[in-house]
C-alpha cells in the first residue's frame, strides 16, 4: 500500500504560490509579443548566437519581503541565482551588474556586502549597475552575462528521456523561506568546481535539455520544462532523494542553491549520474519524459495530475517551431 497520499500532495503542489507566480511570465511575454522571436524566450537565459558559441543574458528580481527580511542573503542570491541560470544552459558566467534601491546608504550595506561575498566565492566580478538609496523601501535586481559553447535548453526534452534531479544536499533551510542554502559556508574551490558539471555535460553531448530548479520547486520547474518542450513529464516522488529531517511536501516546493533538472537519453544516464556523484552532488532519476501535455506525480502505485498545460498554460512559450 502507498504511504504517500498522492492526490492530496498533488492538490497542494498545484495550488502552490511558487507555481502560480510563474503564470505572470506568460502574461508579460504575451504583452511584449515575445512568442515566435528568433531568440527563444522561456529559457533560463536568452541565448544570443555569437561566433562559435552563445552569449547568455539573464536577470533576476527579488521579492521585497525577502530583501527586507534577509538583506545579506538576498544580495548573495542576486549573484548566485543568476549564475545558476547561466550554468543551467551549459554556460559559464562572465560578469554581473545590479540595481539596488534602499532608504539610505546604511540600508543598502547588507545587500551590497552579500553580493560582494558571493562574487568573491564564485569568482564572478560585479562590473557596475544602478543605485538609488533615496527611496522608501529595499529592492534588488541583478543581471548576468555568460557564455556557452554548446547549449542546454528548456526546449529540447524529448519523449523517451529520463528526468534527472541533481541537488546539493549539503545545506539547510534559510528560514522562514523554502530556500535550501548550501553555498555560503562552502569552500570557494568546491563551488567553482561544481559550476563546471553542466557545461561539461553540454560540451560532451550527454544532454540537450536542462533547467535550474527555481521558486516553483521540482514540480514547478518540470511544468516549465514540459511546456517549453511540448512534452509530458511524470515524476516519481518515491524516487526523489530527500535530506534527513525534511518532509517530501516541503522538499518538492524548495528552491535549492544548487539544483537542476536534466532531460537525458537513457544511454547517458549512468555517465551523468557519475559526474554528479564525483562532486558529491545528490542526483537520481526521478521521472520520465513522454508524449502528451500533462505533468503528473506518482509513487509507482498511484498517479495524480498536477497540470495539463493545454488546459492551463503556464508560460505560453513552447518550442519555437511548434509555435510558428
Amino acid at each position: 500500500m502507498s504511504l504517500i497520499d498522492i492526490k492530496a500532495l498533488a492538490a497542494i503542489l498545484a495550488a502552490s504560490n511558487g507555481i502560480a507566480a510563474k503564470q505572470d511570465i506568460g502574461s508579460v511575454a504575451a504583452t511584449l509579443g515575445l512568442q515566435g522571436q528568433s531568440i527563444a524566450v522561456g529559457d533560463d537565459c536568452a541565448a544570443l548566437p555569437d561566433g562559435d558559441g552563445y552569449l547568455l543574458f539573464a536577470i533576476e528580481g527579488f521579492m521585497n519581503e525577502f530583501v527586507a527580511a534577509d538583506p545579506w542573503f538576498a544580495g548573495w542570491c542576486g549573484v548566485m541565482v543568476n549564475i545558476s541560470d547561466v550554468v543551467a544552459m551549459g554556460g559559464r558566467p562572465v560578469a554581473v551588474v545590479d540595481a539596488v534601491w534602499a532608504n539610505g546608504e546604511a540600508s543598502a550595506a547588507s545587500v551590497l556586502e552579500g553580493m560582494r561575498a558571493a562574487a568573491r566565492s564564485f569568482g564572478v566580478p560585479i562590473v557596475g549597475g544602478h543605485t538609488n538609496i533615496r527611496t522608501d523601501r529595499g529592492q534588488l535586481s541583478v543581471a548576468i552575462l555568460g557564455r556557452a559553447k554548446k547549449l542546454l535548453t528548456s526546449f529540447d526534452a524529448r519523449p523517451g528521456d529520463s528526468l534527472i534531479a541533481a541537488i546539493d544536499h549539503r545545506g539547510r533551510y534559510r528560514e522562514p523561506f523554502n530556500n535550501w542554502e548550501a553555498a555560503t559556508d562552502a569552500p570557494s574551490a568546491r563551488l567553482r568546481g561544481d559550476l563546471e558539471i553542466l557545461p561539461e555535460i553540454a560540451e560532451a553531448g550527454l544532454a540537450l535539455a536542462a533547467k535550474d530548479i527555481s521558486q516553483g520547486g521540482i514540480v514547478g520547474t518540470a511544468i516549465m520544462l514540459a511546456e517549453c518542450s511540448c512534452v509530458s513529464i511524470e515524476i516519481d516522488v518515491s524516487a526523489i532523494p530527500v535530506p534527513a529531517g525534511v518532509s517530501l511536501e516541503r522538499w518538492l516546493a524548495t528552491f535549492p542553491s544548487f539544483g537542476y533538472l536534466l532531460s537525458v537519453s537513457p544511454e547517458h544516464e549512468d555517465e551523468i549520474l557519475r559526474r554528479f556523484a564525483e562532486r558529491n552532488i545528490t542526483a537520481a532519476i526521478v521521472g520520465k519524459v513522454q508524449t502528451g501535455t500533462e505533468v503528473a506525480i506518482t509513487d509507482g502505485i498511484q498517479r495524480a495530475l498536477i497540470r495539463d498545460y493545454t488546459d492551463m498554460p503556464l508560460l505560453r512559450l513552447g518550442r519555437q517551431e511548434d509555435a510558428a
Side-chain angles (χ1 to χ4, degrees), residues 63 87 92 103 128 137 141 160 183 225-226 240 256-257 260 267 284 293:
M63 295 183 295
V87 169
R92 296 177 176 87
N103 185 5
R137 72 196 67 187
S141 62
L225 177 61
I240 297 174
S257 59
Y260 301 92
E267 65 264 29
T293 59

Side-chain angles (χ1 to χ4, degrees), residues 24-291:
D24 299 342
I25 297 172
S27 60
V28 171
T31 300
L32 291 172
L34 300 182
Q35 180 63 280
Q37 291 190 150
S38 59
I39 303 299
V41 177
D43 225 325
D44 289 283
C45 302
L48 312 176
D50 183 64
D52 60 351
Y54 299 86
L55 291 177
L56 301 176
F57 193 25
I59 188 169
E60 293 280 353
F62 295 86
M63 295 183 295
N64 290 349
E65 59 266 34
F66 176 44
V67 177
D70 200 348
W72 185 92
F73 188 55
W76 174 283
C77 287
V79 174
M80 180 181 68
V81 300
N82 271 291
I83 290 172
S84 293
D85 284 341
V86 168
V87 169
M89 295 194 65
R92 296 177 176 87
V94 174
V96 299
V97 296
D98 66 274
V100 176
W101 288 260
N103 185 5
E105 187 174 341
S107 296
S110 290
V111 171
L112 298 174
E113 288 167 4
M115 288 184 58
R116 187 178 181 187
R120 283 196 303 263
S121 291
F122 288 103
V124 180
I126 301 169
V127 297
H130 172 81
T131 304
N132 178 0
I133 56 174
R134 299 175 186 272
T135 185
D136 62 347
R137 72 196 67 187
Q139 293 180 292
L140 174 67
S141 62
V142 181
I144 193 165
L145 182 69
R147 171 167 271 281
K149 295 178 182 177
K150 291 187 177 181
L151 289 179
L152 300 171
T153 83
S154 300
F155 303 99
D156 290 302
R158 293 292 182 263
D161 283 357
S162 298
L163 187 72
I164 290 178
I167 303 174
D168 190 347
H169 282 206
R170 296 166 292 185
R172 82 293 305 160
Y173 281 109
R174 188 105 175 182
E175 303 290 358
F177 302 101
N178 284 334
N179 296 318
W180 182 260
E181 200 278 281
T184 57
D185 58 358
S188 178
R190 191 186 90 194
L191 293 175
R192 298 183 191 193
D194 292 346
L195 295 180
E196 285 293 310
I197 303 174
L198 270 78
E200 290 175 355
I201 285 172
E203 290 160 13
L206 296 174
L208 297 175
K211 200 156 187 65
D212 173 40
I213 298 174
S214 64
Q215 199 72 46
I218 291 172
V219 172
T221 302
I223 293 171
M224 292 187 286
L225 177 61
E227 185 174 338
C228 285
S229 290
C230 300
V231 295
S232 174
I233 292 178
E234 185 171 282
I235 300 169
D236 183 352
V237 295
S238 68
I240 297 174
V242 179
V246 178
S247 71
L248 174 63
E249 178 184 326
R250 189 176 192 187
W251 190 242
L252 288 173
T254 292
F255 188 170
S257 59
F258 183 105
Y260 301 92
L261 295 182
L262 296 90
S263 183
V264 177
S265 181
E267 65 264 29
H268 297 313
E269 293 169 354
D270 290 344
E271 175 60 17
I272 287 178
L273 293 173
R274 182 190 68 77
R275 289 181 182 231
F276 284 110
E278 282 184 346
R279 301 291 309 175
N280 293 314
I281 302 292
T282 301
I285 299 168
V286 300
K288 52 190 177 182
V289 180
Q290 303 168 315
T291 58

